[in-house]
Amino acid sequence: MRRRSEPREDLPHVTSRRWIALLDKRTLSIPHVPLRDRKYDRQLRIWGAHGQQLLESSRVCLLHCGPTGSETLKNLVLGGIAAFTVVDDAKVQPHDLGNNFLLDSSSLGKSKAQHVTTLLEELNESVAGSFVEESPSTLLETNPDFFLSFTLVIATQMIEPDVIKLEDLCHSLEIKLLVVRSYGLVGSLRASLQEQTVIESKPDNHVENLRFHKPWRELEDFAMSIDLATADDILHKHTPYAILLIQATKQWHATHGPELPQNAREKQAYRDILQSWQRRIDDVPIEEENFTEAIENSRKVFAPPGIGREVQMVLYDPKAMELDPRSSDFWVLAAALRDFVEGEGEGCLPIEGSIPDMWATTELFLALQRVYRDKAERDTAAVRGHLARRLASIGRDAAAIDAKTLRNFVKHAHCLRVVRWRRLAQEVAPGTCDAAALRQALGDEDTAANACLYLLLRAVDRFHTLHARFPGCYDGEFEDDVPLLKSVAVGMLAEVGLASGALVDDLVHEVVRCGTLVYNAMASTTSVFQF
Amino acid sequence: MVSHERWPAVTRTDAFKEKVSKAKILAVGAGGIGCELLKTLVLSGFQHIAVVDMDTIETSNLNRQFLFRREHVGQSKAVVAAEAVKRLRPDAQITAHQANIKEDRFGIDFFDGFDLVLNGLDNLDARRHVNRMCHAARVPLVESGTSGYTGQVSVHGQLSRAETPSTSQPAIEAECFECQPKAAPKTYPVCTIRNTPDKPIHCVVWAKEMLFQRLFGRQEGVSDLDSHQAAEPPSEADKEALALQKDDASAFLMVPGESIEGYSRRIFDRLYCSDIKRLLSVQDLWKARTKPKPLDLAELVPINAPSAGPSHVNGHANGHPNGTSEAAVASASAALGLTDDHAMWSTADNAKVFLKAIELYRTVRAQDLGAAVFDKEDLLACEFVTAAANLRSIVFGIPTQSLFDTKGMAGNIIHAIATTNAIVSGLIVGEAMKLVANMPHKCRVSWLNERPNPKTVINPVELSTRAPDCAVCGPALLTLHTNTHTATLGDLVSQVLKGSMGLSQPWSITCSDFMYEEDEDLEEDEADTYAALSPRPLKDLPGGGLGNGAVVSIADQPLLEDGSPARKRSMQLIIRHQADWDGQRDPSQQFRLIGSVPAPVPPAGAAEGQKAGADDDEDDVPLLMENGAGEDEDEIVILPAAEKRPADAQLKRKAEVAEADAAENPSPKRRRAE
């Protein structure tokens, strides 16, 4: 909780008058909020300083800078990545004008990559841009080391065989890969990473770990220090519901044994304890807001949040179980956290330190908050101890992971996540493709159209491999291309043992008709589903 | 060719491309959504676009409003955006208006000149206005908004323009923007703000709306809070407390001969010491509350402490007054070395920032005094509000806040990123294309979610039909052609209102400030006043006159066939001036009325059974977000109402948020640029 606290006497004003004069000059010459913060203010309020820092350390490689690639990179440059490199061997053609906002007639005949880079650099002076005038597929063959310096590769408008090769390379170099495609009024986006570990996953509904069911000693002492029976009316109706629930739970255990209320009858009996404590007039309970809150929140006792399945998966992931000197900080921290849960935590995650708003006097609320905050401090210190041991065990310095990182990790222990992606290569190969999932998606009314388009976009690439052109790219061959594309798609379905009935003729027509046309509105929309 | 008449195949036809290139588009707003929208429009082949935005470019726009560069800060958004997109498509005709869309010159005729209106606005007030204009001018409206990762695009109004009345195809009408109620801005009871704050926001509202205004703003703006009638009477204790604080505006003025330091210290003492002591004297207020603790400035910042330092009055000449220039930004916290926006200032720090900010306003920002308006981009204003609110929080035992957080609360800052705006503007153009293709049945309302819901991030839903009782699009819309220079009010009443429209008493017509009514129960002097207006030409009536494009609201209560009173009826009448009509020569040909008066409907109650079923779906309809790419929305409205509980029940930490209907309780503060 942020509360006015220790007075800060370490400020320059107490040192000397010369300081002041200096500062005053600064008042009038340099804005004290760094420009960076002002420029990024609206997004800092979404992903915080930590998120911004991650963004600002990203080096992005864009393959092909058509409308889709240009729009994508624009959004990242505005957000403030560290650097980007554009790879494209094309010269600007007349048809490029008018659907790519970074090109105009003055760029005709010049290198597309160069022109796009220059204009993107203008969007944000803190981002460094560069370009390579070469075809992405050639670069992939001739100079794979080129990709080493990037944290993210964005492949746009590339066909499947090239994408599979690129994925191979990115995986071996541990580079994140995003595959973006716009095709007529259809778009697709696919991430391919080995794993992504997330500390701040920002879940929609988070139930605080308040430990009403299992208070630690200080919390229980604090809760029991209030004697409801003798409290005056004001204290009685301003005793925070946390205290009411802890007292009720204690009484429950005294009368019903160690098990928490399980069924509806027991839960009602538990709530009856709370109700029996309410003040009455003529035996009718008077309305007390804190008791209402306690009854509403009693489910936090019956169903304590515990450790979610996804967090369990992190704690007991093989990578957290078996550390080695190459383990990332996340996995070392996860191991230390598991040590805590299995040790001092007695099966619980560390206390987060914040408490929800509750009906209370300011004094009681702050005192209660202090109890939680102190416990959070102690828990963090315990995890720090485990962390030092874990680091030592893999030959790293005990201070290799700083206190701020640790604190952030512990604070978000309840929302840790690990996400792993299936390789694209596995997804498309007949032997490893998940035919059952495809069948289900094609059969389900809600997903049929999308599944069909997914298949057709892949069929288009296979068409390209077979015929060295995209279907429908020449006006005259439109009528011929519809059955050709359809037969390719049917063949792909057959390879994985699926019938062709799921193919929607209208969509086949549409995909052939729209050819390789890229709509800017579509490019603009597709380009952004990545962060 | 028949297959090309389908969506989206039609988009590849030359006929469609031709329609797109000829369509006249009005884009309202050139901010976060606006920049993306304008770019996508011209790259999709639209060539006739007018853009209206009254704002100038700020540094904090640059993370997403990509048509703007650092060197454009301070210039008109509309003008710079128009120039930028013109470079993309030199053949496009882009007209920029740096203006408020609510200005008179953007009347019905202006809206009528467009085929489509696309909104990228940042506030509910302007959205409502554009909605009404679109309804009156019968132009389809595509509305949009974003907030963080979420956004929405919706389509409203008459979607197919009945250009050729002979076609059998009926006009498709979707609900208007106001058919569904909008979430009202949060309000706070004035007694809580003035006497008994218990949340940080209460102190921020106090500092921003009351104190900032009183010290640096326009003096007449201050009284808003005092003069409003409370919806519920304040408790006796509150009344007593309020009385103690009344009529002391002069105390906030600088006394002749007073030094700036003396002045700022006197204000501090008054706010955080003597006012608090006075509040403490109202003992009933504190029976069940924690008592506030007055602050002693001499202890926090001893006189002659060097904290306030000497001021350099020079060096500001080249700076923009509200902090948009990179050079010469007045900052109290920088002067004190408080460089971390996210840090919590100590009590002494807050006091020093408070004193320093007043000093800077009195010196380098003296030209703003008496006219300053709180602006979230104005660093000094944010610093002052942060310090003043924190000091009050300290007095009342409420947690304090960082500059960053206070700025977010005081400025009602809406999170905004480029990606969401890009998606939403792509969707807007998609809807625009369907409307241009005259395929309104393909239009959808799209919701952009932060997470897949259940499986997709963008959820399109069918358009809703009009709400029959909508106050905006519900009333029948009629058009009246006449020569407003020659036709008189008397003619209008006798020939149109009582004549062809057949209104029954009591009825009334209103148009902005002008009102005329007929009712048996009118007072004699009222009837005389109305009679005196009768011979006046329409354009010379009070309140600006009923000139071309005026929208007149008409209400009456007709009788049913059985003679019993029907439901009250409302209509809107748009006046069309016909300069070449000479009513003098042929008085019977003065007016041409287009549209029909709705038939009387039995009063509510008779149709209730039906209505219950119709409401079933409403739970699934998410409220439209009110925020556009900008962030001035949801100004905090201080509702001058008494707290709803008796004093002894008020000891709590809960927010006491009174929901007020924004339409009935417009914000007492005007938006800054108006």
Side-chain angles (χ1 to χ4, degrees):
Chain A
M1 176 96 178
R2 294 170 310 219
R3 190 153 164 75
R4 77 202 135 93
S5 48
E6 319 70 37
R8 297 194 346 199
E9 292 307 335
D10 54 341
L11 292 169
H13 71 266
V14 288
T15 55
S16 81
R17 279 211 166 257
R18 269 189 59 212
W19 241 119
I20 319 296
L22 205 75
L23 284 168
D24 257 310
K25 227 176 248 169
R26 206 176 58 172
T27 316
L28 300 172
S29 57
I30 308 165
H32 110 289
V33 180
L35 178 68
R36 178 184 150 273
D37 282 9
R38 274 203 280 153
K39 186 165 70 183
Y40 299 138
D41 182 277
R42 299 306 185 266
Q43 66 196 43
L44 278 168
R45 287 172 197 275
I46 299 182
W47 48 63
H50 187 224
Q52 184 66 26
Q53 190 193 326
L54 290 174
L55 194 60
E56 286 179 23
S57 59
S58 306
R59 295 180 309 280
V60 178
C61 175
L62 175 71
L63 305 181
H64 288 138
C65 58
T68 308
S70 300
E71 295 276 349
T72 305
L73 202 48
K74 173 206 75 178
N75 294 327
L76 291 171
V77 169
L78 286 170
I81 51 173
F84 68 85
T85 301
V86 175
V87 181
D88 199 318
D89 60 338
K91 304 284 186 206
V92 179
Q93 305 284 321
H95 68 256
D96 290 326
L97 307 182
N99 80 348
N100 188 331
F101 77 102
L102 291 172
L103 304 176
D104 59 41
S105 54
S106 70
S107 51
L108 271 179
K110 294 180 186 154
S111 156
K112 207 196 255 188
Q114 178 180 12
H115 210 81
V116 163
T117 301
T118 312
L119 284 160
L120 280 175
E121 275 188 307
E122 274 180 28
L123 288 181
N124 192 339
E125 64 271 31
S126 2
V127 180
S130 61
F131 67 95
V132 175
E133 203 180 341
E134 198 165 336
S135 131
S137 42
T138 314
L139 194 63
L140 197 55
E141 296 291 337
T142 57
N143 187 10
D145 287 347
F146 165 81
F147 294 94
L148 263 172
S149 62
F150 300 103
T151 55
L152 169 69
V153 174
I154 302 176
T156 69
Q157 311 300 79
M158 285 177 72
I159 56 169
E160 200 171 280
D162 286 345
V163 169
I164 301 292
K165 270 183 231 157
L166 181 63
E167 185 192 47
D168 239 18
L169 181 68
C170 286
H171 265 245
S172 64
L173 300 176
E174 295 190 2
I175 299 170
K176 296 170 187 170
L177 171 66
L178 280 170
V179 183
V180 190
R181 183 80 178 266
S182 298
Y183 203 89
L185 285 169
V186 181
S188 77
L189 173 76
R190 170 71 150 82
S192 176
L193 300 72
Q194 286 181 351
E195 75 177 22
Q196 177 82 351
T197 51
V198 187
I199 298 173
E200 295 159 66
S201 67
K202 306 196 171 152
D204 281 338
N205 39 11
H206 165 50
V207 181
E208 292 96 344
N209 172 20
L210 297 169
R211 295 269 294 269
F212 297 151
H213 65 298
K214 208 168 158 186
W216 58 95
R217 192 173 49 79
E218 290 83 359
L219 178 61
E220 184 166 329
D221 290 351
F222 178 72
M224 300 316 289
S225 70
I226 290 180
D227 183 358
L228 285 170
T230 59
D232 63 25
D233 281 355
I234 290 183
L235 177 60
H236 196 269
K237 70 163 71 163
H238 292 97
T239 300
Y241 75 75
I243 292 178
L244 299 179
L245 289 175
I246 291 165
Q247 291 197 3
T249 308
K250 196 175 163 80
Q251 175 153 337
W252 173 268
H253 286 315
T255 54
H256 291 77
E259 291 296 317
L260 285 167
Q262 300 289 324
N263 53 41
R265 195 177 43 78
E266 287 176 358
K267 287 175 184 172
Q268 188 52 49
Y270 180 94
R271 289 189 206 101
D272 288 344
I273 298 177
L274 287 166
Q275 267 156 358
S276 73
W277 293 342
Q278 281 188 265
R279 291 273 149 97
R280 277 150 210 278
I281 297 173
D282 296 336
D283 211 34
V284 176
I286 55 173
E287 198 181 316
E288 290 179 289
E289 206 66 45
N290 53 335
F291 278 87
T292 312
E293 284 184 344
I295 289 165
E296 280 169 6
N297 284 286
S298 55
R299 63 191 155 75
K300 289 182 182 166
V301 176
F302 311 146
I307 303 180
R309 193 183 56 87
E310 281 162 310
V311 177
Q312 294 274 10
M313 281 169 63
V314 171
L315 296 182
Y316 294 94
D317 191 281
K319 284 202 167 178
M321 301 298 285
E322 313 247 337
L323 298 183
D324 63 49
R326 291 180 59 245
S327 294
S328 71
D329 288 358
F330 180 90
W331 293 116
V332 183
L333 284 160
L337 182 64
R338 190 183 63 245
D339 294 341
F340 172 87
V341 170
E342 293 175 345
E344 304 89 332
E346 298 176 21
C348 296
L349 289 172
I351 289 290
E352 291 153 44
S354 57
I355 56 174
D357 203 2
M358 44 186 98
W359 200 269
T361 61
T362 304
E363 283 84 356
L364 266 180
F365 183 82
L366 293 177
L368 181 65
Q369 192 168 55
R370 208 152 36 235
V371 172
Y372 276 90
R373 207 172 44 197
D374 290 349
K375 171 69 170 159
E377 287 298 324
R378 286 200 305 280
D379 285 357
T380 307
V383 180
R384 188 178 296 128
H386 292 297
L387 180 64
R389 268 190 303 284
R390 287 288 181 181
L391 283 168
S393 76
I394 52 170
R396 290 178 66 185
D397 181 19
I401 297 176
D402 65 31
K404 206 171 146 194
T405 308
L406 170 78
R407 195 171 286 276
N408 191 47
F409 188 87
V410 170
K411 193 173 152 207
H412 293 96
H414 62 276
C415 57
L416 301 174
R417 298 282 183 274
V418 58
V419 189
R420 294 197 171 90
W421 278 261
R422 218 164 115 79
R423 293 277 292 264
L424 255 169
Q426 292 175 325
E427 182 183 314
V428 301
T432 50
C433 147
D434 189 348
L438 185 59
R439 181 192 299 115
Q440 194 188 349
L442 284 166
D444 184 341
E445 197 187 332
D446 289 344
T447 51
N450 280 343
C452 188
L453 285 168
Y454 162 81
L455 188 75
L456 285 169
L457 282 182
R458 284 185 46 204
V460 158
D461 285 354
R462 187 169 299 186
F463 186 106
H464 189 274
T465 312
L466 291 171
H467 303 286
R469 63 179 177 85
F470 286 108
C473 70
Y474 303 117
D475 280 346
E477 290 165 40
F478 168 73
E479 294 302 332
D480 302 336
D481 284 355
V482 172
L484 275 179
L485 179 65
K486 188 167 179 181
S487 71
V488 171
V490 169
M492 290 170 68
L493 283 171
E495 280 170 18
V496 295
L498 296 180
S500 59
L503 273 184
V504 182
D505 278 344
D506 273 4
L507 292 177
V508 181
H509 277 256
E510 180 57 31
V511 166
V512 174
R513 277 221 190 82
C514 67
T516 49
L517 222 70
V518 174
Y519 290 78
N520 182 268
M522 195 55 225
S524 167
T525 304
T526 324
S527 65
V528 295
F529 283 108
Q530 46 193 304
F531 278 87
Chain B
M1 275 321 280
V2 174
S3 63
H4 276 166
E5 292 305 314
R6 295 166 53 178
W7 182 266
V10 69
T11 57
R12 286 183 296 274
T13 61
D14 289 341
F16 174 77
K17 287 173 189 160
E18 168 100 10
K19 277 186 184 173
V20 166
S21 69
K22 289 195 169 150
K24 296 191 187 68
I25 306 292
L26 172 61
V28 192
I33 294 176
C35 280
E36 293 281 346
L37 177 63
L38 288 170
K39 175 261 298 173
T40 305
L41 278 174
V42 295
L43 295 182
S44 303
F46 287 92
Q47 297 201 357
H48 299 274
I49 304 167
V51 54
V52 182
D53 194 313
M54 66 177 176
D55 281 341
T56 52
I57 296 159
E58 310 269 5
T59 303
S60 64
N61 299 149
L62 301 178
N63 81 325
R64 60 194 188 282
Q65 300 178 16
F66 71 100
L67 298 175
F68 310 143
R69 303 285 178 279
R70 173 69 45 76
E71 63 269 23
H72 295 134
V73 167
Q75 297 181 37
S76 157
K77 285 188 178 180
V79 172
V80 175
E83 282 167 6
V85 291
K86 235 181 266 179
R87 276 196 298 279
L88 298 179
R89 285 294 288 255
D91 50 341
Q93 293 171 24
I94 321 282
T95 321
H97 302 273
Q98 185 188 3
N100 185 342
I101 190 66
K102 294 180 74 178
E103 284 173 29
D104 289 346
R105 59 177 153 138
F106 307 120
I108 289 182
D109 288 335
F110 177 80
F111 277 83
D112 198 30
F114 296 97
D115 298 306
L116 274 178
V117 176
L118 312 179
N119 267 357
L121 277 165
D122 63 359
N123 69 91
L124 184 57
D125 189 44
R127 284 192 166 104
R128 286 196 164 125
H129 177 80
V130 172
N131 179 51
R132 286 162 197 222
M133 297 309 287
C134 286
H135 176 65
R138 296 284 184 194
V139 184
L141 167 68
V142 183
E143 178 58 84
S144 68
T146 65
S147 169
Y149 296 108
T150 61
Q152 113 278 330
V153 173
S154 52
V155 184
H156 303 283
Q158 181 170 310
L159 304 185
S160 53
R161 299 197 81 181
E163 283 155 19
T164 46
S166 57
T167 51
S168 56
Q169 205 180 359
I172 295 185
E173 275 205 79
E175 64 174 8
C176 84
F177 176 68
E178 290 168 90
C179 278
Q180 288 182 36
K182 300 294 172 287
K186 284 182 178 177
T187 63
Y188 302 94
V190 73
C191 297
T192 304
I193 301 296
R194 295 194 69 142
N195 303 337
T196 52
D198 59 18
K199 297 208 82 163
I201 184 67
H202 297 151
C203 297
V204 173
V205 170
W206 173 84
K208 177 191 159 196
E209 306 286 342
M210 305 174 93
L211 187 61
F212 181 87
Q213 185 78 4
R214 181 149 264 162
L215 289 181
F216 313 122
R218 216 177 277 281
Q219 289 312 305
E220 58 266 38
V222 178
S223 60
D224 269 342
L225 283 174
D226 305 328
S227 60
H228 270 277
Q229 287 299 308
E232 283 178 46
S235 71
E236 286 305 312
D238 275 322
K239 271 191 206 158
E240 198 180 334
L242 287 171
L244 283 174
Q245 301 171 46
K246 278 236 159 170
D247 300 319
D248 52 6
S250 60
F252 292 94
L253 300 175
M254 207 160 157
V255 179
E258 195 172 28
S259 71
I260 291 178
E261 193 188 357
Y263 168 73
S264 58
R265 296 186 78 97
R266 179 167 63 79
I267 298 294
F268 185 105
D269 281 332
R270 159 148 199 133
L271 295 170
Y272 302 112
C273 188
S274 55
D275 274 357
I276 302 302
K277 285 181 179 159
R278 262 187 283 177
L279 271 179
L280 280 167
S281 72
V282 186
Q283 287 168 6
D284 280 357
L285 278 180
W286 315 112
K287 274 186 182 160
R289 287 191 179 89
T290 313
K291 289 182 178 176
K293 296 187 187 68
L295 293 175
D296 181 358
L297 182 58
E299 203 177 280
L300 289 168
V301 187
I303 298 179
N304 297 328
S307 67
S311 342
H312 296 251
V313 185
N314 54 352
H316 184 260
N318 56 345
H320 188 280
N322 66 2
T324 48
S325 161
E326 297 319 321
V329 174
S331 162
S333 56
L336 297 163
L338 303 169
T339 50
D340 182 358
D341 266 15
H342 298 269
M344 292 293 156
W345 296 338
S346 69
T347 307
D349 288 339
N350 278 303
K352 286 170 197 159
V353 171
F354 180 90
L355 299 175
K356 186 77 188 171
I358 294 184
E359 181 201 316
L360 288 171
Y361 262 107
R362 287 268 154 194
T363 53
V364 293
R365 294 281 292 274
Q367 78 277 24
D368 291 351
L369 277 183
V373 177
F374 179 83
D375 179 346
K376 62 188 175 299
E377 303 297 338
D378 179 346
L379 181 57
L380 186 58
C382 289
E383 289 172 340
F384 175 79
V385 166
T386 304
N390 279 344
L391 289 165
R392 189 166 171 85
S393 291
I394 291 162
V395 165
F396 284 92
I398 300 166
T400 61
Q401 305 209 94
S402 67
L403 176 61
F404 184 83
D405 288 335
T406 305
K407 191 175 151 195
M409 287 166 88
N412 292 300
I413 291 177
I414 305 299
H415 311 162
I417 46 175
T419 48
T420 312
N421 291 334
I423 300 174
V424 159
S425 50
L427 293 171
I428 296 173
V429 174
E431 298 307 318
M433 286 175 160
K434 295 172 194 168
L435 289 167
V436 168
N438 200 20
M439 295 188 168
H441 52 286
K442 288 286 177 187
C443 286
R444 295 290 181 273
V445 171
S446 299
W447 300 93
L448 174 63
N449 305 304
E450 186 168 345
R451 292 155 208 277
N453 176 27
K455 284 186 175 164
T456 50
V457 177
I458 298 177
N459 289 117
V461 293
E462 303 251 338
L463 304 190
S464 304
T465 50
R466 283 169 42 187
D469 52 353
C470 174
V472 176
C473 71
L477 192 64
L478 299 93
T479 310
L480 182 71
H481 293 262
T482 187
N483 184 334
T484 60
H485 294 235
T486 56
T488 65
L489 177 64
D491 298 337
L492 178 74
V493 169
S494 61
Q495 294 182 39
V496 179
L497 300 173
K498 283 154 77 174
S500 46
M501 290 179 74
L503 298 183
S504 16
Q505 281 192 2
W507 60 263
S508 63
I509 62 171
T510 50
C511 179
S512 65
D513 292 340
F514 169 71
M515 176 169 182
Y516 179 91
E517 60 191 325
E518 284 196 4
D519 186 344
E520 285 167 5
D521 301 337
L522 279 187
E523 299 290 333
E524 205 170 304
D525 57 332
E526 285 177 314
D528 289 348
T529 313
Y530 287 138
L533 291 173
S534 200
R536 286 217 215 168
L538 296 179
K539 76 164 178 60
D540 296 330
L541 288 169
L546 305 186
N548 188 38
V551 182
V552 182
S553 299
I554 302 174
D556 81 334
Q557 187 160 25
L559 297 178
L560 294 170
E561 279 178 17
D562 61 4
S564 63
R567 200 189 298 190
K568 280 189 180 150
R569 189 163 64 167
S570 55
M571 290 154 270
Q572 286 182 337
L573 185 68
I574 300 168
I575 306 285
R576 290 284 176 204
H577 176 59
Q578 302 288 342
D580 49 346
W581 287 17
D582 189 354
Q584 311 271 305
R585 272 190 218 154
D586 183 3
S588 66
Q589 295 294 310
Q590 288 205 86
F591 297 102
R592 191 169 133 230
L593 183 68
I594 299 169
S596 57
V597 176
V601 179
E608 256 175 18
Q610 238 180 338
K611 201 164 182 265
D615 283 346
D616 274 355
D617 292 333
E618 289 197 353
D619 284 348
D620 297 324
V621 181
L623 271 180
L624 272 172
M625 266 174 301
E626 291 165 25
N627 306 310
E631 43 277 314
D632 291 314
E633 182 48 11
D634 278 2
E635 282 182 88
I636 295 164
V637 177
I638 301 176
L639 179 67
E643 294 190 33
K644 298 214 167 70
R645 296 159 189 285
D648 72 336
Q650 287 174 358
L651 188 62
K652 63 198 179 303
R653 301 189 46 82
K654 292 258 153 189
E656 179 141 56
V657 176
E659 295 291 331
D661 183 335
E664 285 175 19
N665 296 290
S667 162
K669 303 287 168 277
R670 293 301 350 129
R671 298 193 52 224
R672 70 190 136 87
E674 285 183 24

